[in-house]
Amino acid sequence: MFAEEDLTRDAFLCGRLHLWQPRKGYRAATDPVLLAAACPAVAGEAVLDLGCGAGAASLCLAARVPGLRLAGLELQPGYAALARRNAAENAIAMQVEEGDLAEIPRPLRVDFDQVIANPPYYPPGGTPSPQAGRATALQVGTPLAAWVAAGARRLRPGGTLTMIFGADGLPEVLAALAPRMGSAAVLPLAPREGRAAGRVILRAKKGGRAAFRLLAPLVLHRGPAHDGDRESYTPRAEEILRGAGPLLAEFA
């Protein structure tokens, strides 16, 4: 567990949410916000967040779509405790269970309308982070195919899996979709105009049969390079990351 002095309380979505995070461990940035924005959940649906961390993606989703039934699975007890705390302090109901993808806890072995996931995507090796929680959250330990399989098992027929991950993992994820998942659409996330996408968002439907779609990239930053302390987001990225706007039109 994290000591109180090792935590910070950070604003998300221009202050719509405030989340406790470890000062030196894994800290949520844009990925969970983009993931939440891309999830097509509607009020009344059940959503499972695989590897929920401190709850950023689920709680950002709930800020946009009230009336969801949220559940999270988290391997690390300290982050699971933070997710519960963050949900309670933002007055959002969320069930958080500790466990591994390989053996999802029994309370989560039910059907969900939506599954979301932000798997680690840095390859193992190199110099590990001195913060064990950060290394676990960022470096690939469980294959991406296992995340897809876990999501497919927990989805009802017609349910949607939404994932954000490194672009180099796309071949593995696409290969893992068959035979249960289809109708896949991939949104590349380009850091700037003319730059290669380092991350992608994928949506796929359980039992879907539509053709694969590679969508036009979402460009996150204006200008050719970083231009100061303030992040120079494009208007569309600003609408999503700060205004809690949905990232749904791109998938239409």
Side-chain angles (χ1 to χ4, degrees):
M1 298 299 177
F2 298 103
E4 200 71 16
E5 62 270 19
D6 294 332
L7 299 174
T8 63
R9 187 169 182 263
D10 305 306
F12 284 74
L13 304 177
C14 277
R16 290 173 175 83
L17 290 173
H18 287 85
L19 306 180
W20 292 99
Q21 302 193 90
R23 192 180 300 275
K24 294 183 178 179
Y26 167 73
R27 294 173 60 81
T30 59
D31 280 9
V33 183
L34 291 165
L35 175 63
C39 178
V42 297
E45 288 191 333
V47 181
L48 173 61
D49 186 351
L50 295 176
C52 68
S58 290
L59 300 178
C60 284
L61 177 58
R64 176 172 62 85
V65 185
L68 296 173
R69 289 172 287 139
L70 298 176
L73 173 67
E74 174 51 42
L75 178 64
Q76 302 185 75
Y79 283 93
L82 283 181
R84 296 185 191 103
R85 178 178 181 179
N86 286 330
E89 293 192 9
N90 285 280
I92 296 171
M94 182 178 178
Q95 172 191 359
V96 180
E97 301 288 340
E98 296 170 26
D100 190 274
L101 289 177
E103 191 172 352
I104 289 181
R106 189 169 298 277
L108 298 181
R109 295 181 199 173
V110 296
D111 287 346
F112 290 85
D113 302 288
Q114 308 285 339
V115 172
I116 61 175
N118 178 17
Y121 54 78
Y122 289 109
T127 303
S129 169
Q131 300 296 324
R134 179 176 172 83
T136 300
L138 292 178
Q139 288 192 328
V140 174
T142 302
L144 287 170
W147 291 78
V148 174
R153 284 194 298 270
R154 297 278 57 86
L155 280 168
R156 64 162 178 79
T160 301
L161 171 68
T162 306
M163 298 174 63
I164 186 169
F165 52 92
D168 59 350
L170 184 57
E172 180 183 353
V173 171
L174 292 178
L177 292 177
R180 287 184 286 182
M181 304 294 296
S183 303
V186 171
L187 177 68
L189 300 172
R192 299 183 188 277
E193 194 72 45
R195 297 271 297 275
R199 295 168 292 162
V200 298
I201 298 175
L202 173 137
R203 277 194 0 204
K205 184 173 290 189
K206 188 168 184 176
R209 295 291 181 264
F212 170 77
R213 294 185 297 146
L214 181 61
L215 307 173
L218 172 66
V219 179
L220 297 177
H221 296 280
R222 292 181 281 114
H226 185 64
D227 62 357
D229 292 335
R230 178 176 168 78
E231 292 285 0
S232 55
Y233 290 121
T234 62
R236 182 69 179 120
E238 184 94 17
E239 179 184 0
I240 296 160
L241 295 171
R242 296 203 168 104
L247 184 52
L248 302 180
E250 286 78 359
F251 286 90

